[in-house]
Amino acid sequence: PAVWLPYNKMGRSGTDLVVCDQGGKFGPFDGQMLVGEFTDAKVSRVFLEQVDGQYQGAAFPFLSGLASGVVRVLFGPDGSLLVGMSSRGWSSLGTKSYGLQRVRWNGTTPFAIREMRAKPDGFELVFTTDVDPATAGRVESYAMKSYTYLYSNAYGSPEIDLKPVTVTGAIVSADRRSVRLKVDGRRELYVHELRAEGVRSAAGAALEYPDAYYTLNRIPR
């Protein structure tokens, strides 16, 4: 797979896919995929890149608290996201049996990790707004671990072969929109789970979703 959606952490039943191609009308996420999630009644976000001809990338939490199990996601002509929902046949965390909701961008850019890119010595995080250099440049603001899954005929799998990944450096870019993480202990074909709980924006805001899950199929050379 290009990207794993870690079970329970990103959901349990992925459904529809749509590319965000709205020319900024849906916020700063053009070029990324939005993925419906049935059981948890939410929509996730996926950033993709290619390394040595292999697709890989990061999954991020995005929209939660929808009314029912998400089955269909589609952009309308005004740049809003239409979400079709039903809990028929299975249960979801939504409180309704079915529904149709429209999600519009309110014009305020959220503080989020927009991209997570693989680099030869670690990862690069690209943010939607300026970061606070003091917190974003501190290695203690980040925690990482890696794991994979067991292939079997059973439903799902626990995380297996779990190991810590050490962040040894965090360098904030001159424009304060990205951070280069130097990381020891990366492994190809493993999910690399990042938690950036200590990072703050230039305005002092915390990340609404500090988690990211990068599927590292290839380490750039």
Side-chain angles (χ1 to χ4, degrees), residues 39-221:
T39 306
D40 288 358
K42 63 186 183 182
V43 176
S44 302
R45 178 168 59 88
V46 172
F47 164 77
L48 285 173
E49 63 176 347
Q50 277 189 296
V51 176
D52 293 337
Q54 297 292 315
Y55 276 108
Q56 58 189 39
F60 306 91
F62 188 54
L63 299 172
S64 59
L66 295 167
S68 189
V70 176
V71 179
R72 185 78 196 277
V73 285
L74 177 71
F75 280 105
D78 63 346
S80 63
L81 182 69
L82 303 174
V83 185
M85 299 166 288
S86 173
S87 289
R88 181 178 179 180
W90 296 272
S91 61
S92 77
L93 297 183
T95 59
K96 305 294 184 181
S97 297
Y98 54 88
L100 176 64
Q101 289 181 282
R102 171 177 283 163
V103 182
R104 295 184 178 94
W105 181 41
N106 64 7
T108 300
T109 300
F111 180 48
I113 303 171
R114 184 166 62 88
E115 300 173 5
M116 182 176 180
R117 295 179 174 273
K119 297 296 179 181
D121 58 351
F123 296 96
E124 181 184 41
L125 307 179
V126 180
F127 293 84
T128 54
T129 65
D130 292 1
V131 299
D132 164 43
T135 57
R138 192 165 57 220
V139 295
E140 293 79 11
S141 294
Y142 308 92
M144 292 192 75
K145 58 185 175 181
S146 65
Y147 47 82
T148 188
Y149 295 100
L150 178 69
Y151 284 95
S152 77
N153 61 355
Y155 186 84
S157 164
E159 296 167 3
I160 62 171
D161 197 13
L162 192 150
K163 291 184 179 180
V165 180
T166 305
V167 178
T168 61
I171 302 171
V172 180
S173 65
D175 65 1
R176 301 186 180 183
R177 284 297 180 95
S178 65
V179 177
R180 186 74 173 261
L181 297 180
K182 294 186 177 181
V183 177
D184 289 342
R186 292 164 299 147
R187 297 181 288 175
E188 289 187 340
L189 304 177
Y190 281 71
V191 176
H192 288 68
E193 179 178 318
L194 169 72
R195 187 163 183 83
E197 196 166 20
V199 176
R200 296 292 181 269
S201 72
L207 291 159
E208 182 179 1
Y209 297 112
D211 302 309
Y213 306 89
Y214 193 100
T215 301
L216 189 64
N217 291 324
R218 295 287 186 274
I219 295 175
R221 307 302 176 192

